[in-house]
Amino acid sequence: MKKWITILNTWLLAFGVSAAELPDEMEWLTNNEDPIFASIEATRGGEFTSSLQSFPLTFRTVGPDSNTAFRSFILENQLGLYALHPETERPIPALATHWAFGDDNKTMYFKLNPAARWSDGEPVTADDFLFALEMMRSEVIRAPWYNNYYTEEIVDITRYDDHTISVTAGSPKSRRELLNTVGVAPQPQHFYELTDDWVRRYNWAQAPVTGAYVFDEVKRGRSITFKRLNDWWGNELTYYRHRFNVDRIRLNVVRDMNIAYRHFLRGDIDTFGLILPEWWHDKTDTPEYRNGLINRIWFYNDIPRGAQGFHLNTAHPRLRDVRVRQGIAHAINMQRMLDTILRGDYERMHTFGTGYGDFIDTDIRAREFDIERARALFAEAGYDRQGPGGILRNAAGDSLSLAVTYTTQEHTSRLAILREEARKAGLDLQLNLVDGATGFKVMLEKKHEAAWLGWGGSGLYPQYWEFFHSLNADKPQTNNLFNISDAKLDALIEQYRVTMDLGAKADISRQIQQRVHELAIFIPGYQVPYTREAYWRYVRLPEAKGTRHSPSLFWPMEGAPHSTGGLFWIDQQLKAEIKADDRTFEPVLEVVETWRQKDQ
């Protein structure tokens, strides 16, 4: 089945029949003029070692159990048709060398780079994009979000020849939003077969990629190692020179962050994220920092931030009552957590995500901690009797509790403060720590009452369908962790998806956020407008350290949608010297505020 497209096109060409013809007088665009953001001083070689808190449940990027942190190492090692420049935000070439906009405001045309290759040496052709459409629509991948997106948002991919295609969106869009919609990635049609056992068959498959790295060694449950392709086809592309510099990326599974940090201080891990306040403030007064062997950097960025906070599962009987949900929101003393455990380093989030400009309703404020208001709402919902320990209960004897599922040990102290404060309002928070990948699976299977987690920010505009549309409610393996099914939300989301005018679209976005606030299904937590990281001195960064859109300074892969990753390199001579003797240096602590938003 996977070869029918190629066979058909070969037959058509043999008889002189063209399957499709390009429109006349198109304006083909490209972009090799924007500033280069990689360092010409970067050198190739060495091994970069990092860690994972849990081993992934699959190497698939779609289907059951695939939506984990590790997936980014594969997804962002797959180039799309183009990427976005991290400073100018204009498209830059990736798999496509040129692009053009159709007159229908729905279609973009692309000329593929004839040099593009899959990591197994096979050429990337138009047929791989046609197969991507077929695959993402197929039920065998068991991925409802992709099935829907590649049916309603991507309605067609047309082949003109081996290296020319068009992608058509489901509704007219501005050019900016077309770039946010149609930048699809191909799928290797020579590798996959869409059989009924697809999920099981490809669970641990190491599929060909278009990026610079491939799997090298996998020790199940212990480590995953990638190696760089020396003859990677993208080595000489304008915006990919001097990037993806390390020869090997080794990811060791270390389930406890404290143990991982000890590995880091020994030099067995090269960089370590210090976003957590207690790590930044309390755990950096060691000889390695004082002797200048490990540097610290506080780098402000300007990126969309996904929602962080409590996701309330409305399928649970107690949480079906909006008054209970509102009462819970007023029983959560988020500000005390921010001021104490988080040292004032983080900022309160008020909406479902931030950083999208006019698409965010800045008039919405998260419900404040208010014991009297919380108790009044609980009483209206029938929880008006005092039980053991001051926890409220209703006439049927049901105690007012909320089981909170979370996946990070370091968040226990934060949630413990919220639990202590919630008891003042008669609410019992029960904290359930579950291992990373397994815990997220519990959430996707909708087995939680409340999920405490944060999503990564992505895209140029907020995404709502996957989180709030009723088609994703009461189904496993979807991101509607709220199990919300609301007719008003559905109507707004459907209108949002087809509205072309950006001003009108932003207005609908704000209405969606207002409706989410009214339903009280999400209790906003906090946002972090920067990255803070420690790194051994031999790990080098460009002069600017990172880009406006860098979520991390030491991400080894491409980045999405902005091209930001793979900018660092290893100074192998300095590494050897540091490992060989007891040299000392001046300590380095840098704060980079180039992209700091003053109103945050």
Side-chain angles (χ1 to χ4, degrees), residues 494-549:
E494 290 161 9
Q495 186 182 4
Y496 178 78
R497 296 182 84 181
V498 301
T499 297
M500 178 178 172
D501 180 80
L502 288 184
K505 192 179 188 72
D507 179 66
I508 299 169
S509 175
R510 294 191 295 270
Q511 292 180 56
I512 292 172
Q513 293 193 337
Q514 182 62 46
R515 183 58 179 164
V516 170
H517 178 73
E518 292 170 358
L519 291 169
I521 54 178
F522 173 66
I523 302 174
Y526 45 73
Q527 59 180 331
V528 185
Y530 51 77
T531 180
R532 286 193 307 214
E533 303 181 65
Y535 59 104
W536 278 83
R537 194 179 192 93
Y538 53 75
V539 184
R540 302 287 303 281
L541 288 168
E543 183 177 356
K545 308 306 177 187
T547 75
R548 175 180 183 175
H549 289 280

Side-chain angles (χ1 to χ4, degrees), residues 291-303:
N291 294 333
L293 301 176
I294 294 177
N295 299 341
R296 284 192 294 164
I297 186 167
W298 186 325
F299 183 90
Y300 284 86
N301 48 29
D302 182 19
I303 61 176

Side-chain angles (χ1 to χ4, degrees), residues 133-154 465:
L133 185 65
E134 178 187 3
M135 174 175 159
M136 293 304 179
R137 288 176 173 177
S138 174
E139 293 185 359
V140 303
I141 68 172
R142 292 172 57 192
W145 186 90
Y146 285 94
N147 292 164
N148 178 276
Y149 190 88
Y150 281 82
T151 300
E152 296 189 3
E153 291 293 294
I154 304 293
W465 185 86

Side-chain angles (χ1 to χ4, degrees), residues 94-136:
L95 290 176
T97 60
H98 295 76
W99 47 88
F101 292 91
D103 293 336
D104 62 356
N105 296 315
K106 295 193 296 183
T107 303
M108 283 189 71
Y109 300 84
F110 301 95
K111 291 183 178 180
L112 305 180
N113 191 329
R117 291 289 184 275
W118 294 101
S119 53
D120 60 4
E122 291 291 320
V124 177
T125 70
D127 294 333
D128 294 309
F129 288 88
L130 294 180
F131 178 72
L133 185 65
E134 178 187 3
M135 174 175 159
M136 293 304 179

Side-chain angles (χ1 to χ4, degrees), residues 368-546:
E368 296 292 341
F369 180 62
D370 187 329
I371 295 174
E372 291 184 5
R373 181 61 180 147
R375 285 183 172 272
L377 286 162
F378 291 147
E380 289 178 22
Y383 291 91
D384 55 0
R385 293 164 171 78
Q386 197 84 352
I391 302 304
L392 295 173
R393 58 174 53 184
N394 61 16
D398 180 42
S399 293
L400 186 61
S401 66
L402 182 69
V404 179
T405 300
Y406 65 108
T407 61
T408 304
Q409 172 67 50
E410 282 66 28
H411 287 198
T412 300
S413 59
R414 307 178 189 185
L415 295 172
I417 281 187
L418 300 184
R419 179 178 59 190
E420 175 187 328
E421 294 290 287
R423 294 184 72 87
K424 299 175 183 178
L427 172 66
D428 179 24
L429 293 184
Q430 300 173 357
L431 308 185
N432 298 329
L433 174 63
V434 188
D435 174 70
T438 304
F440 191 58
K441 181 175 182 178
V442 168
M443 299 172 190
L444 290 177
E445 296 291 337
K446 316 300 169 64
K447 296 177 181 178
H448 61 285
E449 291 183 23
W452 169 260
L453 80 157
W455 301 93
S458 62
L460 302 177
Y461 310 108
Q463 302 298 312
Y464 296 118
W465 185 86
E466 62 189 286
F467 297 109
F468 301 114
H469 198 282
S470 60
L471 286 176
N472 296 312
D474 301 312
K475 292 180 182 177
Q477 299 294 330
T478 75
N479 290 343
N480 187 345
L481 303 187
F482 313 97
N483 267 323
I484 189 65
S485 181
D486 179 73
K488 185 175 180 179
L489 257 185
D490 285 353
L492 286 169
I493 291 169
E494 290 161 9
Q495 186 182 4
Y496 178 78
R497 296 182 84 181
V498 301
T499 297
M500 178 178 172
D501 180 80
L502 288 184
K505 192 179 188 72
D507 179 66
I508 299 169
S509 175
R510 294 191 295 270
Q511 292 180 56
I512 292 172
Q513 293 193 337
Q514 182 62 46
R515 183 58 179 164
V516 170
H517 178 73
E518 292 170 358
L519 291 169
I521 54 178
F522 173 66
I523 302 174
Y526 45 73
Q527 59 180 331
V528 185
Y530 51 77
T531 180
R532 286 193 307 214
E533 303 181 65
Y535 59 104
W536 278 83
R537 194 179 192 93
Y538 53 75
V539 184
R540 302 287 303 281
L541 288 168
E543 183 177 356
K545 308 306 177 187

Side-chain angles (χ1 to χ4, degrees), residues 193 197 236 246 290 424 513:
E193 291 186 22
D197 64 345
E236 296 306 315
V246 296
R290 292 194 296 269
K424 299 175 183 178
Q513 293 193 337

